Amino acid sequence: VLPEETFGALVRRTNFTNTGNSPVTISALDGLAKLEPVGGKIDWALKNMGRTLEGWMGVYQAGDGITMPYYRMSTETADSASVKIELAGHYLLSFIENSDTDADLLPIIYDTN
């Protein structure tokens, strides 16, 4: 998954195999503990005010049944006289493979706080 792409990505693949003789129902929840924001010179802020940065971070394209939300900061965090809107961000998606060539996007669960 994603070999030789022109962008950076984190991919985690999990396989479930029923080795028994009877059908099973599986519920699974997995996710990132923290999503680092993009934008500006934020190295110091990530190390010293990480929780404060979360206040500037928002989830866009969100709603019921959303399968690919866009996470970004609303503005750059620099202390300056002008406000620069931050447009760069991260997409997040999750999918389940139905066969060798078909997959369905799954809804994303996120914290709105």
Side-chain angles (χ1 to χ4, degrees), residues 29-75:
L29 182 63
D30 187 19
L32 299 171
K34 185 174 183 183
L35 188 65
E36 300 290 350
V38 172
K41 297 180 180 181
I42 59 173
D43 184 54
W44 180 89
L46 285 171
K47 293 176 182 173
N48 298 290
M49 329 182 330
R51 300 297 295 182
T52 302
L53 283 180
E54 291 176 12
W56 276 300
M57 196 125 173
V59 182
Y60 300 86
Q61 301 175 8
D64 291 338
I66 190 69
T67 57
M68 197 164 48
Y70 187 60
Y71 295 84
R72 70 175 175 86
M73 292 180 49
S74 56
T75 61

Side-chain angles (χ1 to χ4, degrees), residues 78-102:
D79 186 14
S80 66
S82 63
V83 176
K84 182 178 178 194
I85 303 299
E86 184 58 61
L87 298 176
H90 301 289
Y91 279 102
L92 181 94
L93 63 93
S94 181
F95 64 90
I96 187 166
E97 294 175 326
N98 298 325
S99 65
D100 292 337
T101 60
D102 194 22

